[in-house]
Amino acid sequence: IITLPLEGDFLQPKHVDEIFGLAKDYGATAVLAGGGLWREQQTLVAVRELVQRCHLPIALDADGLRAIASAPQLLEGKTCVLTPHSEEFRVLTGTLPPQDAQKRAMLAQAAAQKLGATILLKGHVDAISDGKRVALNTTGSPFMTKGGFGDCLAGVVGAFLARGVPPFEAACAAAFLNGKAGELAAKEKGESLMPMDSVEKFCVSLK
């Protein structure tokens, strides 16, 4: 799916200019960063530079969240959605969310207020907040708790942002639709469910 690879084994600061050049050439209307980047120090520096210079709506997931955790001030004034699971939320905020959905929602709201971003805290019930509004999403399947499904969710968030959907609404819609696609795929695949099964079901449901 990645059609414009960058030279080298991992993301580095030298790539940032190239990324923005590609974004301009292809008329990008949003940026998604974090999935599969890993945690080389140069990679974390590159993500922070990308966020600092980005004027497009941006979604951050996975290692993108770890990169911004040490420099949250870079989110100021940005149109941004953060999509952490519980451990990534702990890295961002210093607090590990409990299982209780209402308490998770309160934590997401407080963190969104502090960071100035919309937060989609993933879990058995997703908690979404822009610091003012709060929503809970219950779609999904236990079979989705494996690598790759968070990347799918972040991709859907980025797609909604690219279409001009506001961050809170983009996060809510993405959580619901991604979870529903996973539910439909899980009915057919059971424990063998893989992320691309969910993506396929998502695409079919949109036709």
Side-chain angles (χ1 to χ4, degrees):
I1 297 176
I2 299 174
T3 59
L4 299 169
L6 301 171
E7 183 179 352
D9 295 327
F10 54 88
L11 182 67
Q12 302 173 54
K14 68 179 183 180
H15 295 130
V16 176
D17 283 339
E18 184 179 355
I19 291 170
F20 281 113
L22 291 169
K24 182 178 180 180
D25 291 344
Y26 284 84
T29 53
V31 171
L32 165 62
L37 291 183
W38 202 232
R39 302 163 199 168
E40 296 284 348
Q41 186 58 39
Q42 290 188 62
T43 299
L44 302 182
V45 171
V47 172
R48 288 192 285 268
E49 182 179 345
L50 188 151
V51 172
Q52 183 177 30
R53 293 173 54 185
C54 187
H55 298 294
L56 296 171
I58 185 167
L60 292 176
D61 186 38
D63 299 318
L65 298 170
R66 295 179 183 273
I68 207 65
S70 62
Q73 70 277 6
L74 297 179
L75 297 176
E76 185 176 350
K78 305 294 183 181
T79 300
C80 187
V81 177
L82 311 179
T83 60
H85 55 52
S86 291
E87 174 58 20
E88 290 161 349
F89 187 88
R90 185 196 65 78
V91 171
L92 274 173
T93 68
T95 301
L96 185 66
Q99 288 296 309
D100 182 79
Q102 293 298 329
K103 292 180 179 178
R104 290 170 68 88
M106 292 174 62
L107 284 175
Q109 184 178 25
Q113 288 175 347
K114 183 176 181 179
L115 295 171
T118 293
I119 290 183
L120 196 177
L121 175 55
K122 298 175 288 192
H124 63 291
V125 175
D126 302 314
I128 307 152
S129 180
D130 60 359
K132 296 180 180 179
R133 296 170 291 178
V134 176
L136 296 175
N137 174 66
T138 59
T139 63
S141 165
F143 298 139
M144 296 173 71
T145 54
K146 58 185 72 169
F149 283 96
D151 300 279
C152 292
L153 174 59
V156 180
V157 171
F160 277 120
L161 291 177
R163 289 176 172 265
V165 179
F168 180 73
E169 287 79 1
C172 290
F176 176 83
L177 291 173
N178 186 70
K180 182 58 68 174
E183 283 181 11
L184 295 173
K187 290 180 180 179
E188 298 178 3
K189 302 293 184 177
E191 291 187 20
S192 65
L193 180 69
M194 297 297 288
M196 287 307 297
D197 299 323
S198 179
V199 171
E200 180 180 332
K201 191 64 66 173
F202 187 88
C203 293
V204 170
S205 69
L206 292 178
K207 291 182 179 179

